[in-house]
Amino acid sequence: MRVLIVGSGGREHALAWKCAASPRVSEVLVAPGNAGTALEPRVRNVEVAADDVLRLAELARAQAVDLTIIGPEAPLVAGVVDEFRARGLAVFGPSGAAARLEGSKSFAKAFLSRHGIPTARFAGFTRTSFEPAYVLAQRPPIVIKASGLAAGKGVVIADTHGEALATIEAMFAGRFGAAGAEIVVEEFLAGEEASFIVMADARHALALATSQDHKRLEDGDRGPNTGGMGAYSPAPVVSPQVHARVMREVIEPTIRGLAAEGMPYVGFLYAGLMIAADGTPRVVEFNCRLGDPEAQPLLARLRSDLVGLCEAALSGSLHTARVDWDPRAALGVVLAAQGYPERVRTGDGIEGLERAASLPGKIFHGGTRLHGGRVVTQGGRVLCATGLGESVREAQQRAYALVDCVSFEGMQYRRDIGYRAIARERG
Ligand code: AMP
């Protein structure tokens, strides 16, 4: 069979690599892909943009694609799945209506409170409805979020009332473009974060292995928020007890609530959680797709056939599916371009990829492209060096051994990915 992966980041490289490993798959197309997918055996890039919904559907029809998996959120929120379904094309991802869980934070927060799913206290405002008195009545730190899609960067944690008000003013003035026309003001949640990702088939949810990413740019979780500078799986903060609570208190009511409201959820559903010291999970955000960079360590650990799992989801039979994981830990370190997450430098040659290929683990490509037979940088998060090991500590050593092989002008990365999990391992 032939599979189409939509997107061009590290997550999509990992999806394409995993699907190409399925004995049932003859070819994987990636639209538009990157240098990593271009160089992967049995994988072919097609020059169609990830948000060009109509051309994607035409491509799937013309190339007799049997299954399409949508990587990023933008085409999902734009309704790519609705377009595919209207044409009778098999596609794994949520409808545009259900993808609002990610596309609109105010929609997600209202949904959570309608269904009694635990999350931070909040209020949503537009410029005309904004009440500074609400902000002044909150105890700092105060969390301010642009409601629309902002590539994980539209969140500011303000330490004072003055900073909160100035942030809100900047968002209304266009700091995050249209995403900030509506804002959410939220209570600050203390605890440890975890990414809880499931595959859903409208009625059932199959939990994937747990994972955890690092959103901040600098070591020690300092500096600006990014799309993610590294991730590992499993996340020890999600104990079996916490896992059971997340399924019962977050995932199951979400799937049930969406179905009851007429937007049954099919696809990857990602709950970004804050786990309090007593193990109580609260939803920080929903994403309507796999995380990037969580997908890289997760898919490195997945032993089951991903294509078979997607098919089970499309036929509504995920409750009968089993998923096998490599018991080892996996850890991915993102190598970002100079200037990320602001203005990114591109076009630099990347050295050392061949040497890295001879080591255990895998370097997934994100913002790369082929230029005259050479791999050059093309975006903010360029590569994700992913290692496997008997412990998170060993996976970390393997990942950094890969990092040590490669270089490009202005390369920046964190040196402490996984530090919380490693501290827990040390007990
Ligand atoms: P989001 O885009 O909503 O996932 O927010 C990005 C990051 O900001 C999260 O991963 C958290 O690290 C942080 N964050 C968001 N909301 C809160 C909150 N209510 N309390 C504490 N941290 C938060």
Side-chain angles (χ1 to χ4, degrees):
M1 62 188 285
R2 188 176 272 168
V3 174
L4 169 63
I5 306 293
V6 173
S8 62
R11 165 184 52 214
E12 288 77 23
H13 185 187
L15 283 167
W17 167 79
K18 188 68 205 163
C19 289
S22 167
R24 296 171 47 211
V25 171
S26 52
E27 189 180 34
V28 177
L29 307 182
V30 190
N34 56 37
T37 53
L39 297 169
E40 204 63 60
R42 291 202 288 165
V43 178
R44 171 162 62 96
N45 287 352
V46 187
E47 265 189 60
V48 175
D51 56 1
D52 193 337
V53 167
L54 293 178
R55 283 193 62 209
L56 289 169
E58 281 156 20
L59 172 70
R61 162 66 37 84
Q63 297 278 337
V65 167
D66 301 289
L67 170 70
T68 299
I69 303 176
I70 312 294
E73 60 277 19
L76 290 166
V77 172
V80 68
V81 166
D82 308 82
E83 182 65 34
F84 272 61
R85 285 205 197 126
R87 300 183 188 212
L89 296 163
V91 58
F92 185 65
S95 66
R100 282 181 298 168
L101 276 188
E102 174 165 7
S104 164
K105 289 196 194 284
S106 30
F107 172 86
K109 293 297 285 190
F111 175 86
L112 288 165
S113 55
R114 272 201 301 285
H115 295 278
I117 300 166
T119 188
R121 268 184 293 111
F122 74 102
F125 298 103
T126 59
R127 189 189 270 289
T128 40
S129 72
F130 180 54
E131 295 164 32
Y134 177 88
V135 173
L136 295 172
Q138 310 302 311
R139 200 155 51 110
I142 304 168
V143 182
I144 316 288
K145 300 183 175 183
S147 177
L149 289 180
K153 294 160 212 155
V155 175
V156 174
I157 296 171
D159 289 323
T160 62
H161 289 120
E163 190 190 347
L165 292 172
T167 301
I168 292 168
E169 181 48 41
M171 285 192 185
F172 286 147
R175 173 161 160 209
F176 295 107
E182 240 184 305
I183 61 150
V184 170
V185 178
E186 220 175 77
E187 162 199 17
F188 178 81
L189 298 174
E192 189 172 341
E193 285 184 76
S195 307
F196 199 99
I197 307 176
V198 303
M199 294 178 78
D201 71 0
R203 292 202 301 141
H204 317 101
L206 178 69
L208 301 184
T210 58
S211 58
Q212 161 91 68
D213 79 339
H214 291 268
K215 286 246 163 46
R216 303 290 200 100
L217 182 68
E218 293 159 21
D219 284 8
D221 293 317
R222 283 190 295 268
N225 264 322
T226 69
M229 294 300 290
Y232 53 92
S233 170
V237 62
V238 184
S239 63
Q241 293 82 347
V242 170
H243 196 283
R245 285 190 69 178
V246 173
M247 287 303 285
R248 196 171 60 237
E249 296 172 26
V250 174
I251 301 297
E252 285 160 11
T254 300
I255 300 294
R256 262 200 315 272
L258 287 164
E261 293 190 19
M263 39 190 159
Y265 197 100
V266 176
F268 293 109
L269 175 65
Y270 169 135
L273 303 171
M274 189 68 81
I275 313 291
D278 69 355
T280 301
R282 289 190 181 80
V283 176
V284 173
E285 63 165 345
F286 279 123
N287 292 323
C288 60
R289 32 88 195 171
L290 274 179
D292 185 340
E294 291 94 327
Q296 293 87 317
L298 272 180
L299 294 173
R301 290 186 61 212
L302 180 64
R303 282 183 172 160
S304 308
D305 184 358
L306 180 62
V307 172
L309 290 172
C310 292
E311 287 178 329
L314 294 183
S315 66
S317 57
L318 268 184
H319 56 305
T320 63
R322 273 200 44 81
V323 56
D324 276 339
W325 298 97
D326 190 322
R328 290 176 298 169
L331 183 142
V333 178
V334 168
L335 305 180
Q338 184 178 317
Y340 181 75
E342 304 289 335
R343 267 173 61 101
V344 169
R345 172 186 163 121
T346 61
D348 293 302
I350 302 174
E351 310 300 331
L353 290 169
E354 307 71 26
R355 197 152 77 82
S358 66
L359 295 184
K362 173 97 183 157
I363 294 195
F364 293 107
H365 290 225
T368 67
R369 72 186 165 94
L370 283 178
H371 180 70
R374 217 166 151 230
V375 180
V376 302
T377 63
Q378 168 74 3
R381 291 183 294 161
V382 177
L383 302 168
C384 181
T386 308
L388 284 156
E390 297 304 325
S391 59
V392 176
R393 171 98 197 122
E394 193 179 292
Q396 187 198 50
Q397 285 165 350
R398 296 251 165 85
Y400 282 103
L402 293 170
V403 171
D404 288 340
C405 294
V406 296
S407 63
F408 54 86
E409 195 64 39
M411 176 168 110
Q412 51 165 340
Y413 60 93
R414 283 181 56 162
R415 288 166 174 79
D416 66 346
I417 299 302
Y419 74 90
R420 285 180 207 276
I422 290 165
R424 278 178 193 263
E425 284 176 352
R426 291 208 179 102

